[in-house]
Amino acid sequence: MDNQVPLHIAFIMDGNGRWAKKRGLSRNIGHKKGGDTFREIAKYAKDCGVKYVTFFAFSTENWKRPKEEVDALMKLFSEYLDEAESYAKEKTRLIFLGDKSIFAREMAAKMTELEKKSKQFSDFTLSLAVNYGGKDDILQAARRAAKFCRDRDLTPSDIDEKFFSGLLYTSAVPDVDLLIRPGGERRLSNFLLWQSAYAELYFTDILWPDFTKKDLDTAIEYYKGRNRRFGNIEK
Ligand code: FPP
């Protein structure tokens, strides 16, 4: 058994819409409540000794949603970016995973600025995946690898796993140890495909806005009981 707190936990924050519907509220209220859960769980994960957390906030596919919902989500991110300025006190490194160029210029610049300002912190790293897709991540890395081969006199065999990992949006974070998906679905939905190759998967029917610190404790306990072999045999 691994028996250790996972170094890196990734969360798929699913179920906001259903949480709201059950209460006769608009989906956007569900996202707002999901945002509150995100803040609480990120903070608690740090208290539990987890060093890296990654949250799936908006996928490359979520642009297909009604404009009103997309706008509401962008407003929530924007409010978070304003508030994140004060996170320097908490010594949290912030990273935004995904292609930022699609966002309003001011918003993209704010993300880059927060990343730069917090780069010095190494105790706790919070990554927020916005306009992120696992396939897109691998594809952009493959394009960059091809460019390296063309421009820097590298051959395709120079592109090994370590080098390629360094080209992904997650270059500054280790692979995922535990991936938590609330909301009842049992799939990865194009999240951290490369990085979750050996992640332990934890699914629960609880909807994300209802996910509590106790639920995180339960997921971590589940993880501690797993025997991780990484393709090797039992020792
Ligand atoms: C999936 O649930 C959730 C999203 C696509 C958005 C997640 C965003 C948040 C939790 C807000 C994040 C806020 C900040 C500040 C980072 P769903 O809407 O697909 O749920 P459903 O399956 O019940 O409809």
Side-chain angles (χ1 to χ4, degrees):
M1 287 202 303
D2 208 45
N3 244 326
Q4 298 210 350
V5 172
L7 183 65
H8 182 182
I9 305 185
F11 296 86
I12 298 181
M13 304 189 281
D14 193 20
N16 299 341
R18 277 164 288 159
W19 182 91
K21 196 172 173 204
K22 263 172 54 176
R23 289 163 178 78
L25 302 168
S26 78
R27 293 179 56 81
N28 295 344
I29 305 277
H31 291 314
K32 189 165 171 16
K33 186 72 174 53
D36 295 343
T37 303
F38 151 71
R39 288 171 178 86
E40 185 187 33
I41 294 298
K43 196 162 178 297
Y44 184 60
K46 186 180 180 197
D47 295 342
C48 291
V50 177
K51 298 288 181 202
Y52 298 86
V53 284
T54 302
F55 292 84
F56 204 4
F58 197 85
S59 76
T60 44
E61 289 77 32
N62 286 151
W63 298 103
K64 294 181 209 154
R65 294 192 177 203
K67 182 173 182 309
E68 195 220 334
E69 183 167 340
V70 171
D71 288 350
L73 282 165
M74 290 305 135
K75 188 158 174 282
L76 288 178
F77 302 148
S78 184
E79 285 167 5
Y80 176 68
L81 295 182
D82 289 339
E83 149 199 334
E85 284 283 353
S86 64
Y87 284 17
K89 284 198 298 287
E90 292 171 26
K91 297 194 174 6
T92 293
R93 179 172 182 183
L94 282 175
I95 296 177
F96 298 92
L97 309 177
D99 181 2
K100 299 183 184 74
S101 67
I102 201 158
F103 296 110
R105 193 160 352 144
E106 201 184 316
M107 195 164 156
K110 190 87 189 244
M111 290 180 194
T112 307
E113 186 198 325
L114 284 167
E115 286 180 331
K116 268 197 199 142
K117 275 192 184 163
S118 66
K119 204 172 174 174
Q120 52 182 309
F121 302 125
S122 55
D123 283 1
F124 185 68
T125 299
L126 189 162
S127 305
L128 197 61
V130 279
N131 189 32
Y132 178 86
K135 285 186 175 181
D136 179 61
D137 196 359
I138 294 168
L139 202 53
Q140 65 82 30
R143 289 192 186 116
R144 288 172 65 198
K147 199 165 179 307
F148 269 110
C149 288
R150 189 191 61 196
D151 300 345
R152 306 227 184 143
D153 205 21
L154 291 182
T155 61
S157 57
D158 293 325
I159 312 293
D160 59 13
E161 188 176 322
K162 188 158 179 272
F163 182 81
F164 194 79
S165 290
L167 299 177
L168 295 166
Y169 289 127
T170 48
S171 59
V173 301
D175 278 353
V176 177
D177 295 302
L178 173 64
L179 186 137
I180 299 178
R181 179 169 193 155
E185 309 290 2
R186 280 148 177 76
R187 54 180 173 247
L188 293 182
S189 295
N190 201 15
F191 189 42
L192 300 175
L193 300 178
W194 169 287
Q195 299 85 344
S196 298
Y198 276 101
E200 298 296 330
L201 308 178
Y202 182 83
F203 299 106
T204 165
D205 291 338
I206 295 162
L207 303 174
W208 175 249
D210 287 330
F211 194 90
T212 62
K213 295 177 186 176
K214 210 161 169 289
D215 295 317
L216 183 57
D217 287 338
T218 307
I220 292 177
E221 281 313 307
Y222 164 82
Y223 173 85
K224 286 181 176 173
R226 303 301 304 159
N227 185 352
R228 304 187 80 200
R229 293 187 293 279
F230 298 95
N232 204 338
I233 56 166
E234 191 100 44
K235 294 236 172 90

